[in-house]
Every structure is written in C-alpha cells, then in structure tokens.
Amino acid sequence: MNTRLLRAMLSGLTLTLSLAAASTQAEETLRIGMTAADIPTTTGMPNNGWEGMRFLGYPIFEGLVLWDLTHSDRLATVRPGLAESWEQSKTDKKTWIFHLRHGVKFHDGTDFNADAVIWNFDRYFKSDSPQFEAGATGITRARVPVLASYKKIDDNTVALTTTAPTSYFPLMVVYVLFTSPASFEKAGHDWARVATLPAAGTGPFRISQVIPRQSVRLARWDGYWDAAHKAKVDSILLLPIPEANTRLAALRSGQVDWIEVPPPDGIPSLKAAGFTISTNSYPHVWPWMYNISAPNSPFKDVRVRQALNYCVDRSAIVALLNGTAEPAVGWLKANDPAFGKPLNHYNFDPAKGKAMLAEAGYGAQKPLAFKVMISNSGSGQMLPLAMNELLQQNLKQACGVNVTFDTVEWQVLSSSARLAPDNPGLHGAMAVNASSATTDIGLMARYFAAASATPAGNNFEHWDDDKFEAALNTAAKATDPATIQASYRAAHERLVDNPPWLYVVHDLNPRAMSKKVQGFVPAQSWLLDLTLISMH
C-alpha cells in the first residue's frame, strides 16, 4: 500500500479511537478491527456477510434458534434461543411449531412475543408490508429459501411452513434475526433512521453509538434474559479496517485489542512480541463459484470445471498464507464424515488438467480465458488480492489458462453473487470469488439446490444435478439421523464429481489479539460468543 495513504488511514483511525477513549476511560472496552470496508448495517439484519452476523448480528439481535459457540473442539451446534423448543407438526411434516420463550424483552423495554415474530417475518417476506426492508429481505430470503408461510397460533407460539418437508429447517431459521417493532415506530417508519437511533434487539449487547463509516459501539445489556450468558466486558468498539497491514499497525500500536485476519507474514513477529494468535479448523471454503448458466460460459462443460480443480497448486496458496489454511478438494473438508467417496481426488496434476481441457477444446491455439469477480477484502475472504494473483499465475503457468479480474468492494461482490448468471451487474464475470460457510446440510441446500437458484437462494451457478437433488430430497424427508447423514454424503460426492465450484482452500480462521483479551473461544463456526470475553 502507498505509505502516504497508510499514514492517512492510521491518522484517521487514531482520531476515531482517541475520541472514543475520551468518553469511556472508566469502561472496560474491547476494540476490534474488522476486515469490512464499512460498518455492517445496524437495523437488525447486517450486511457484510458473516462478519456482519458475527459482530452486528447475534450479539445484539437474536433468532428463534441460536448457535452454541462455547466449544472449540467440535462443530458448533444449534440450541434454543428466543424459542424454548420446536417440533415438526404431527399432522403436516411441512409445518414446524416454535414455542417462544416467556418474559423476554427488547432493549427498549417492549415485549418479544408472537406479534413481534410475525412483524419481522412480514418485514422480510411481505413486500407490501409497511415495515418491508429491501436490503434485509434479499439477505434473509436467500438464507431461508424454503419458507412458504407463517402464522401466529397464540402469544407464545408460531407456526412456520416450508414448501416441502425439510428435516434441516431449524438450521435455516437460525439466520432469521428479530428487531423491536418499536424501533421502526420511533424512527418514523424509516429504516435509514432506525440504523442510527439505533435499533433494539434482545441480545447480550445493545448498540449504543453508530458513527457512519467509522465505528459502532456495543454496550453490555444487563437486562439480558439469559443470566448464564451475560457479557463480561462493559463495551465493544467495532472498527472497519479493510487493509491487512493497517489492521496490523493498529494492533501493534495499541489502538485496537484484536484484529481479524492478520497478514500472514506478520504472524511470526506478532507471536514474538507477545500477541496471541488464534487459529482453528472451522467450516469454511474459499472457492471460485463457476458461472455455469451464463450464455457462452465455458463452465457448461464439466470437464472444464474438473480440469481447473486439477490445475490448482493449493499447497502454494497455503504457503502464501503461512499455514493458516489447508487445501480444499470439495465443499467439505476431506476428513469430514460427510465428505463421502467421490470418484475424483483433486490434487495438483497439471498434465491431467491440460488433457481434460484439450478434450473440451482448449489448448495453446485456443486457450481458456475468463473473468473472475473478486473483492479487495471482506468477511471470510482471507487475503483475496494476493491469493487471486497467485491463482492467476498458477493457472497460466500450469495449464495455460488466462484469467482476468474485476475487483469490487466486498458488499458489491456479495450482492453480485445473488444475481442471475446473465445479469449485466456481473460485468461478464464467469466466476465469483465468494467464500462459503460449510456448516451443515441446510447450507448445502441453500447453495446448491436447484430451487435455490439466484435470486431465490445462493445457487449462483444455477447448477442442477439429478443425483444431488435425489440425495437432498431423501435427507429432507427423513427423520432418521443415519438416513440424513448417508444422503448428505451422497450429495457431497456429487459436489466433487460434478463440481459447481473451483475448490481452493479451507481457512483456519486466524485472529491476533492482545494478551489483555481473555476467555476467547475459537468456535468451529463463522460466528463467536463475545459474552465469554473479558479484559485484564
């Protein structure tokens, strides 16, 4: 980065932090440098991908179902949240009954009840409702593409109905967050004003200050309904710092206590200086999503999609990242019980990759060439510029493939990945580099089911595989865990053998933090439990 620009960014960051510190010297404040280029939206359904959900989602706004993020030795599982329990209807397997927790209040003192649930569902799913929020709608509908209808049964019970029986529906409902209807009333029915008032949720933190494009401050909510999960720190200051070296400088100078994604080449020196470096296996994959259905897309041919998976030197990417990632040869990690036994075992085999490209009609006289839309930073994106430049060189040298990039801001990329394959907003891109959580079969359905094709869901490729659909359908209708798991494996085998993505690496979720930060648990999730943190 230009030295003058770096100094300017640090100067602005110093001013922001100095002003914040002046008003909160007596508070125990945790200061976090995020990878986002801007603060995620603060109305209750944050943008900026999973980093938005991590810091301005669940800590403030909760769902009927929540994640258990208190363990680091196994994948995170769901637990009761604003619903104490739930079950499939005995008479209709498409309907789920959620029994709401009694006595929960929003940060503004109003009641959380069935009316608030229905109000929020109308906000997301009813386009003519007064509280309809377009930005939040696109995010939420893509995450719960199977929802057909919803209704209030009584003040403490709601029913949600899916388009077809869906055994993994609670793993989708976990992403629907709830904002106080009174927030919308107080803001005069203006979501832009709701974002700065700010909005009220039910979580262990409340939003106490929003400075657009600069910072968001969270304050501990002492009235939190779950006494066992009350926060330890007084407040959290969230700062968007998209450039990795700027984050590093902010941590070294003591301007922040914690940074997401430290630059890999800075990790050894951070360790030597006494900072804590946290890494852990977690459900994540960093891919290129093939634009299969665009007119004249080279990726209509499965041989091309498979070939690139043989052309990639994943070990070189891992080395670039100083060991903070591991090779990806499928959507899931190779040691995942649901990985299965696919026919293709992707490794760095340029000869095989070039042979497959030749079969598909590409070679020295007619090289494969395409554009990829990438971001300069963002949640789960790791170090996208350096990684993509290395991939570009790798594919050219190993298999004669010519790749160009359309570099955009992360939120633009995230929105573009929900466009139709031929949408002009893609600028002719034949792939997008958007990382993915790989938590569970519900997410698999969201990303790859034919019914989840964009804009309804996250199937950007408009990929459609009969064997995958059959396996997913079996899992959705099943109630037996063994049947669901077997179908999950069969579905994943198709993701490897008929790949809709170029699989590159799985992130190890690196963070760097001051020794003052205590109690952090690196959950095997894109999310984390901020209530566990204390400062000493």
Side-chain angles (χ1 to χ4, degrees):
M1 167 176 276
N2 180 281
T3 302
R4 185 178 298 174
L5 178 58
L6 177 59
R7 287 174 179 167
M9 292 176 71
L10 282 172
S11 176
L13 177 62
T14 301
L15 176 61
T16 297
L17 288 165
S18 298
L19 292 172
S23 63
T24 60
Q25 289 180 352
E27 288 189 348
E28 186 178 75
T29 299
L30 170 65
R31 301 161 301 167
I32 299 176
M34 304 181 293
T35 69
D38 194 2
I39 61 173
T41 47
T42 54
T43 58
M45 180 48 69
N47 62 8
N48 273 281
W50 293 98
E51 193 168 65
M53 294 292 280
R54 182 183 307 139
F55 293 123
L56 280 164
Y58 293 104
I60 308 103
F61 308 97
E62 299 179 300
L64 301 176
V65 182
L66 293 175
W67 292 103
D68 180 357
L69 302 168
T70 59
H71 304 282
S72 61
D73 59 346
R74 56 187 181 272
L75 282 174
T77 55
V78 293
R79 63 181 175 90
L82 295 177
E84 294 179 320
S85 62
W86 55 85
E87 73 273 349
Q88 276 183 297
S89 168
K90 294 179 180 179
T91 58
D92 178 9
K93 291 300 181 184
K94 292 189 294 184
T95 297
W96 289 76
I97 309 299
F98 288 84
H99 305 279
L100 307 184
R101 196 173 294 277
H102 292 235
V104 176
K105 291 186 179 295
F106 289 102
H107 299 146
D108 57 17
T110 59
D111 292 331
F112 171 80
N113 52 29
D115 290 330
V117 171
I118 299 303
W119 185 93
N120 275 275
F121 272 100
D122 282 349
R123 161 194 175 191
Y124 297 130
F125 293 96
K126 189 177 180 183
S127 300
D128 61 352
S129 68
Q131 66 268 33
F132 180 71
E133 186 184 5
T137 291
I139 296 169
T140 307
R141 289 185 181 181
R143 291 174 178 169
V144 197
V146 300
L147 183 68
S149 63
Y150 46 89
K151 67 178 181 180
K152 170 183 175 180
I153 295 178
D154 58 41
D155 285 347
N156 297 295
T157 315
V158 296
L160 307 181
T161 300
T162 57
T163 54
T166 308
S167 63
Y168 44 81
F169 186 57
L171 293 167
M172 292 182 164
V173 174
V174 72
Y175 300 114
V176 181
L177 304 184
F178 297 96
T179 300
S180 166
S183 296
F184 189 64
E185 294 298 323
K186 184 178 178 181
H189 294 196
D190 182 350
W191 281 112
R193 289 194 62 206
V194 173
T196 58
L197 281 179
T202 60
F205 292 92
R206 62 178 179 83
I207 300 174
S208 61
Q209 182 188 51
V210 178
I211 303 178
R213 300 198 68 83
Q214 290 188 41
S215 65
V216 177
R217 182 176 293 279
L218 310 181
R220 182 179 61 236
W221 175 240
D222 290 327
Y224 186 47
W225 59 267
D226 188 349
H229 281 87
K230 287 188 177 180
K232 294 180 174 60
V233 296
D234 296 309
S235 65
I236 296 174
L237 184 67
L238 300 169
L239 298 140
I241 311 176
E243 209 282 318
N245 285 320
T246 308
R247 289 196 300 276
L248 176 65
L251 180 64
R252 284 187 173 282
S253 63
Q255 295 174 322
V256 296
D257 308 295
W258 159 336
I259 60 172
E260 297 285 282
V261 196
D265 57 1
I267 288 176
S269 62
L270 284 173
K271 288 181 178 179
F275 290 95
T276 299
I277 304 297
S278 170
T279 59
N280 194 20
S281 174
Y282 86 123
H284 167 280
V285 66
W286 193 92
W288 285 356
M289 300 175 174
Y290 295 132
N291 189 345
I292 297 172
S293 295
N296 303 315
S297 170
F299 299 120
K300 295 181 187 297
D301 191 326
V302 67
R303 294 171 296 184
V304 177
R305 290 181 266 133
Q306 291 173 338
L308 293 194
N309 274 291
Y310 285 109
C311 288
V312 170
D313 185 357
R314 296 169 177 85
S315 63
I317 301 290
V318 172
L320 172 72
L321 297 170
N322 204 0
T324 59
E326 54 191 331
V329 292
W331 189 67
L332 296 172
K333 295 187 177 186
N335 62 358
D336 192 295
F339 187 88
K341 296 180 179 180
L343 299 176
N344 285 272
H345 302 277
Y346 298 125
N347 55 5
F348 185 40
D349 191 343
K352 186 169 185 174
K354 286 193 287 188
M356 297 179 79
L357 287 173
E359 290 177 9
Y362 297 99
Q365 301 305 313
K366 182 188 175 183
L368 175 64
F370 59 93
K371 181 193 296 184
V372 183
M373 182 177 284
I374 67 173
S375 66
N376 53 9
S377 186
S379 174
Q381 295 297 89
M382 307 173 73
L383 297 179
L385 296 180
M387 293 167 71
N388 278 298
E389 286 172 1
L390 183 53
L391 271 177
Q392 182 185 48
Q393 296 168 12
N394 166 194
L395 290 172
K396 176 66 174 178
Q397 293 170 1
C399 292
V401 176
N402 297 324
V403 177
T404 57
F405 296 126
D406 181 13
T407 305
V408 299
E409 193 270 331
W410 161 237
Q411 190 54 42
V412 174
L413 175 70
S414 180
S415 298
S416 297
R418 294 196 295 269
L419 298 175
D422 59 351
N423 191 293
L426 290 169
H427 306 156
M430 288 295 126
V432 296
N433 169 221
S435 58
S436 158
T438 58
T439 310
D440 53 73
I441 192 171
L443 270 176
M444 175 187 276
R446 207 178 92 195
Y447 276 106
F448 303 111
S452 295
T454 55
N458 290 102
N459 183 351
F460 166 76
E461 313 77 24
H462 288 214
W463 183 73
D464 191 353
D465 181 284
D466 290 343
K467 292 180 180 178
F468 176 88
E469 293 292 321
L472 194 65
N473 186 51
T474 298
K477 292 180 178 178
T479 55
D480 170 40
T483 301
I484 295 173
Q485 186 68 6
S487 301
Y488 191 16
R489 285 195 300 271
H492 187 264
E493 289 169 356
R494 296 306 302 157
L495 291 179
V496 177
D497 288 332
N498 183 16
W501 293 359
L502 171 62
Y503 306 110
V504 184
V505 292
H506 301 291
D507 193 5
L508 293 182
N509 209 7
R511 294 182 171 93
M513 53 192 70
S514 162
K515 289 289 186 183
K516 294 185 296 182
V517 179
Q518 300 291 312
F520 172 68
V521 174
Q524 291 191 28
S525 169
W526 278 42
L527 307 164
L528 51 86
D529 190 341
L530 291 173
T531 68
L532 303 174
I533 311 266
S534 60
M535 298 287 289
H536 297 291

